């Protein structure tokens, strides 16, 4: 195959990408096609003879309008989903083009250098200990896994047990303590690590979903031996932060490892106006966060940060005779992440931080929070609509007519309306719509149009 074969295909992909991006701000926000329609269109026996690659690219693009939800749309408020900043998407295209195996420095010095610098920038931005280990992983799920693997290593090392060599059979028991409001990915990480979920000690949370520090104190007083405490900066429903200064002090006094889920909340540290929410977070031993949420880089991108770099490295590193590993200052990603071969996912992070600067990241965070407050103000002004949470960050919980069935009906109606997209949850026994503003492109007008659609659907539902 000639090198020229790339040009027509990449030009085609570029044209399709431009059309998709042009359409994104005003298109129907949900996905319109379901499985049956898509399988009918896409399935065929695997042919012996392949097809024209250009036709294949056209086929993919032809189904994106109905088969993909516009989750990068400025009017997508489901889950906690970031958009893609233009610089981040462009950098990601280069990453695909360069096709680097970013596992070791010897294969990709450019990735190693950019990840080294991006790691330092993130520690400065979050104001976390500068010597921390940093790994660029797929998302907060794997950031939890990485951080908690380091925690498992660290607390057992202090108990004179080498978990990497001897495993968990016969090891001192590790106590894991987390809030009843901990994100489900924490449980999954504990499963992957052989710690299980049944023995997780749950600590009661308050009406905003914040761990009750006094309950944590009571729980810790009953535990002896290696202990990991998991706190949260940014509840997935309310955006609330656990009382980190108290939790940090309790964990230290107990000799426990403190891990913090800051999937989106850690980014509050970048903003003058919001950083006080995360005060005390610097007391932790490890932090998990996402770049594909609030930094608005394309999927998938998360970051694991560990104060004790040696524990981090000992838990992740791999060595084999055929590898060329560095013994100098060069960075081998395999030392910091679970993957061996991997995508150069730190490069879009580097590019985005470079393009935004400190002020740009702060502005991104502040704008999203301002839009969340705008949502809360517009919706709560409407009789029959109430906001269930204190809107401290970018998350808003909305209830319609103080009625579970009606609230669910409005959520379904809003999704069908297509002006915007939001999903539902149950908060302290009450059905609620979740609004998460996490996209750089969401404007005041987007919020006006989206809140307007919600109110319209609500009124139609009560008629
Ligand atoms: C999104 C989220 C996660 C999981 O992150 P992924 O990037 O989806 O793996 C964990 N914790 C919280 C609080 C989240 O919002």
């Amino acid at each position: 195959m000639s090198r020229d074969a790339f040009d027509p295909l990449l030009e085609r992909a570029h044209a399709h990408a431009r059309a998709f991006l042009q359409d994104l701000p005003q298109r129907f926000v949900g996905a319109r096609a379901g499985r049956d329609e898509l399988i009918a269109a896409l399935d065929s026996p695997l042919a012996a003879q392949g097809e024209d690659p250009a036709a294949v690219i056209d086929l993919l693009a032809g189904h994106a309008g109905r088969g993909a939800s516009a989750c990068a749309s400025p009017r997508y408020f489901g889950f906690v989903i970031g958009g893609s900043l233009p610089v981040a998407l462009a950098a990601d295209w280069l990453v695909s083009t360069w096709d680097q195996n970013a596992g070791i420095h010897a294969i990709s010095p450019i990735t190693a250098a950019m990840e080294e610098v991006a790691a330092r920038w993130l520690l400065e931005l979050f104001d976390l200990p500068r010597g921390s280990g940093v790994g660029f992983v797929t998302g907060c799920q794997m950031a939890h896994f990485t951080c908690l693997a380091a925690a498992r290593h660290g607390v057992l090392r202090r108990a004179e047990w080498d978990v990497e060599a001897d495993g968990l059979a016969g090891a001192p028991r590790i106590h894991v303590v987390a809030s009843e409001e901990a994100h489900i990915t924490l449980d999954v990480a504990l499963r992957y690590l052989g710690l299980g979920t049944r023995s997780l000690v749950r600590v009661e949370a308050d009406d905003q979903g914040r761990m009750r520090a006094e309950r944590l104190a009571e729980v810790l007083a009953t535990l002896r031996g290696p202990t990991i405490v998991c706190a949260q900066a940014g509840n997935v429903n309310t955006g609330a932060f656990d009382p980190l200064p108290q939790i940090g002090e309790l964990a230290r006094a107990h000799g426990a490892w403190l891990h913090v889920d800051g999937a989106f909340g850690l980014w509050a540290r970048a903003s003058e106006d919001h950083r006080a929410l995360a005060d005390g977070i610097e007391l932790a031993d490890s932090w998990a966060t996402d770049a594909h949420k609030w930094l608005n880089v394309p999927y998938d991108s998360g970051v694991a940060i560990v104060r004790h770099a040696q524990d981090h490295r000992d838990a992740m590193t791999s060595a084999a005779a055929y590898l060329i590993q560095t013994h100098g200052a060069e960075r081998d990603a395999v030392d910091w992440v679970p993957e061996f071969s991997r995508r150069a996912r730190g490069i879009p992070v580097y590019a985005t931080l470079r393009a935004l600067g400190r002020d740009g990241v702060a502005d991104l965070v502040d704008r999203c929070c301002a839009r969340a407050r705008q949502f809360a103000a517009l919706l709560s002004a409407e009789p029959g609509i109430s906001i269930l949470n204190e809107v401290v960050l970018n998350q808003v919980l909305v209830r319609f007519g103080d009625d579970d069935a009606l609230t669910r009906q409005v959520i379904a109606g809003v999704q069908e309306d297509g002006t915007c997209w939001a999903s539902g949850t149950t908060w302290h026994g009450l059905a609620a719509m979740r609004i998460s503003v996490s996209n750089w492109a969401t404007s005041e007008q987007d919020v006006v149009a989206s809140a307007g659609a919600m109110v319209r659907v609500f009124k139609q539902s009560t008629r």
Side-chain angles (χ1 to χ4, degrees):
M1 189 169 69
S2 135
R3 290 280 110 179
D4 294 341
F6 284 107
D7 284 348
L9 286 176
L10 291 181
E11 273 157 26
R12 234 177 171 92
H14 182 227
H16 288 308
R18 289 185 61 171
F20 184 86
L21 293 170
Q22 289 281 321
D23 191 36
L24 197 56
Q26 59 279 331
R27 64 161 271 195
F28 185 94
V29 179
R32 276 168 295 185
R35 177 183 181 273
D36 291 351
E37 177 184 332
L38 290 167
I39 292 296
L42 298 173
D43 197 12
S44 66
L46 178 62
Q49 305 284 313
E51 294 172 43
D52 172 22
V56 174
I57 295 300
D58 290 348
L59 174 97
L60 306 189
H63 293 291
R66 289 178 57 77
S69 69
C71 51
S73 157
R75 286 188 264 105
Y76 190 93
F77 306 107
F79 313 103
V80 183
I81 304 269
S84 282
L85 279 155
V87 65
L89 177 58
D92 204 61
W93 281 10
L94 291 181
V95 167
S96 291
T97 307
W98 296 343
D99 193 21
Q100 302 284 282
N101 182 337
I104 55 174
H105 178 272
I107 305 177
S108 186
I110 188 174
T111 308
M114 287 192 187
E115 292 190 349
E116 182 182 327
V117 176
R120 215 181 56 232
W121 285 348
L122 287 171
L123 296 179
E124 280 175 28
L125 192 69
F126 298 143
D127 193 15
L128 294 177
R130 302 303 192 267
S132 300
V134 179
F136 293 92
V137 293
T138 50
C140 200
Q141 170 72 82
M142 290 315 285
H144 282 325
F145 173 79
T146 305
C147 290
L148 292 172
R152 184 181 70 165
H153 181 91
V155 298
L156 288 178
R157 176 180 52 74
R158 291 181 216 154
E160 286 168 20
W161 184 271
D162 180 354
V163 70
E164 312 311 330
D166 296 322
L168 281 176
R173 159 101 191 264
I174 300 176
H175 300 288
V176 186
V177 182
S179 156
E180 61 182 358
E181 279 288 327
H183 195 271
I184 184 67
T185 49
L186 192 82
D187 297 49
V188 176
L190 294 173
R191 273 167 35 204
Y192 295 168
L193 287 161
L195 297 172
T197 52
R198 206 187 305 282
S199 61
L200 184 56
V201 187
R202 303 272 183 191
V203 181
E204 197 183 311
D206 69 10
D207 63 333
Q208 296 298 308
R210 295 172 292 222
M211 186 195 285
R212 290 189 184 278
E214 69 279 12
R215 290 280 187 282
L216 175 64
E218 290 166 17
V219 165
L220 287 177
T222 67
L223 302 177
R224 292 283 166 276
T227 304
I228 301 171
V229 175
C230 302
Q232 187 165 248
N235 178 288
V236 77
N237 284 310
T238 63
F241 286 61
D242 286 351
L244 296 165
Q246 290 95 311
I247 293 173
E249 294 215 344
L250 287 168
R252 287 216 167 160
H254 191 79
W257 180 293
L258 176 59
H259 171 68
V260 180
D261 180 346
F264 55 97
L266 189 54
W267 296 88
R269 294 278 279 187
S271 149
E272 285 282 309
D273 294 351
H274 295 93
R275 69 171 296 157
L277 289 168
D279 278 354
I281 207 168
E282 68 283 354
L283 298 172
D285 298 283
S286 58
W287 304 264
T289 192
D290 271 315
H292 55 219
K293 285 179 182 165
W294 230 343
L295 189 61
N296 279 218
V297 303
Y299 286 95
D300 43 27
S301 187
V303 186
I305 305 174
V306 181
R307 174 190 298 276
H308 316 283
Q310 194 61 45
D311 288 332
H312 184 175
R313 189 186 178 112
D314 288 347
M316 288 293 129
T317 194
S318 37
Y322 78 95
L323 286 179
I324 308 167
Q325 280 173 291
T326 57
H327 299 285
E330 296 88 350
R331 178 186 163 94
D332 286 323
V334 291
D335 292 335
W336 308 105
V337 298
E339 296 87 1
F340 195 60
S341 297
R342 65 186 273 280
R343 181 174 178 79
R345 52 175 54 83
I347 290 180
V349 174
Y350 172 86
T352 305
L353 290 174
R354 185 156 189 141
L356 290 178
R358 269 178 180 286
D359 291 352
V361 178
D363 186 52
L364 173 56
V365 170
D366 289 341
R367 267 187 295 137
C368 290
C369 295
R371 300 288 119 85
R373 292 193 300 272
Q374 185 191 352
F375 256 121
L378 289 173
L379 292 171
S380 62
E382 204 62 41
I385 302 183
S386 49
I387 305 301
L388 298 185
N389 65 319
E390 293 167 20
V391 182
V392 293
L393 203 68
N394 61 333
Q395 306 291 120
V396 188
L397 289 180
V398 193
R399 185 161 164 86
F400 296 88
D402 198 16
D403 182 317
D404 285 351
L406 180 60
T407 298
R408 293 196 187 99
Q409 192 186 334
V410 173
I411 294 167
V414 165
Q415 293 177 359
E416 277 161 36
D417 170 78
T419 306
C420 65
W421 203 93
S423 52
T425 189
T426 302
W427 182 249
H428 291 216
L430 303 177
M433 176 193 273
R434 296 176 68 258
I435 297 174
S436 173
V437 189
S438 315
N439 190 321
W440 66 279
T442 303
S443 67
E444 286 181 25
Q445 295 87 308
D446 287 317
V447 175
V448 170
S450 301
M454 291 168 184
V455 170
R456 192 170 66 239
V457 171
F458 168 57
K459 286 185 173 161
Q460 283 161 2
S461 307
T462 50
R463 212 182 278 149

